[in-house]
Amino acid sequence: LDIDRSDCLGHMATALQEMVAKLEGQAHWYESILNTLPLSVSVTDNDMVWTFCNTNALGSMQKTCQSDVVGKHCSEKQGNICNTPECGIEQLRLGNKQVINHMPNGKTMQIMLDFLKDRHGNTVGHVEIGEDITHRIELEKKANEAAHKARMDTVNQLEGVVETLQH
């Protein structure tokens, strides 16, 4: 509003300008917090149309700014589980709040999901938080292999002891 008046309308316009500036500042504050997370955070409405993606989520899609995704259906990222029963939001609607996605590029993503509610408790969308767990999965596999090898080495040693005792 570009109103230069000193009457009631002018005071109302000034108050509205101050309120908009304060809300824009708060929105930037919360967006900045979400952008510092080392996790991918994306938000869609009930129709699965993006309303927000943090910097990490944008980067995972080779996008650079909100306008590249906001207002578009989330399946436009063409992920390997999009438009399938394994889709995170479809799984959330079935009651599953976690999805493990083994991606074609070799990465493994853990996706945690929940419904976004308004202040009255009505569902207004979905929140997806993604974490690359590829390294963790690799370490778990190596640990399991090492544990199996250690068990087998112990069994072999015990068999040797038993054989020695029998002779």
Side-chain angles (χ1 to χ4, degrees):
L1 296 172
D2 188 19
I3 298 176
D4 185 24
R5 298 170 60 153
S6 59
D7 60 0
C8 292
L9 287 177
H11 292 298
M12 186 185 321
T14 300
L16 283 173
Q17 289 170 339
E18 291 170 359
M19 183 176 66
V20 166
K22 183 176 180 180
L23 290 172
E24 286 174 341
Q26 286 178 331
H28 176 75
W29 172 259
Y30 292 119
E31 186 175 325
S32 295
I33 291 169
L34 292 172
N35 283 334
T36 65
L37 297 176
L39 305 169
S40 171
V41 179
S42 63
V43 182
T44 55
D45 64 17
N46 284 330
D47 296 321
M48 299 169 65
V49 173
W50 276 310
T51 59
F52 174 80
C53 289
N54 74 346
T55 303
N56 201 319
L58 291 171
S60 72
M61 296 182 278
Q62 291 80 45
K63 306 292 184 187
T64 56
C65 63
Q66 292 288 327
S67 62
D68 292 339
V69 295
V70 170
K72 296 178 181 173
H73 194 273
C74 62
S75 66
E76 287 193 32
K77 77 175 167 187
Q78 299 178 339
N80 63 304
I81 60 175
C82 291
N83 297 314
T84 72
E86 290 79 33
C87 160
I89 293 172
E90 294 300 334
Q91 285 296 305
L92 175 63
R93 291 173 177 168
L94 293 172
N96 302 320
K97 292 188 172 191
Q98 180 176 312
V99 172
I100 302 296
N101 182 7
H102 301 282
M103 300 169 60
N105 65 4
K107 287 187 176 187
T108 301
M109 295 295 292
Q110 175 177 274
I111 305 165
M112 295 147 291
L113 305 117
D114 212 337
F115 291 104
L116 182 63
K117 307 274 187 178
D118 66 13
R119 65 187 186 119
H120 302 292
N122 301 311
T123 299
V124 295
H126 321 92
V127 178
E128 295 183 59
I129 301 173
E131 178 182 13
D132 184 346
I133 60 169
T134 307
H135 187 65
R136 185 173 88 199
I137 297 295
E138 290 170 358
L139 290 176
E140 287 173 0
K141 182 179 177 184
K142 287 179 183 177
N144 287 336
E145 289 170 355
H148 177 73
K149 183 182 180 318
R151 283 191 302 275
M152 293 311 296
D153 289 348
T154 302
V155 167
N156 291 335
Q157 287 175 351
L158 290 174
E159 286 175 346
V161 169
V162 168
E163 189 176 309
T164 302
L165 290 174
Q166 287 177 344
H167 286 50

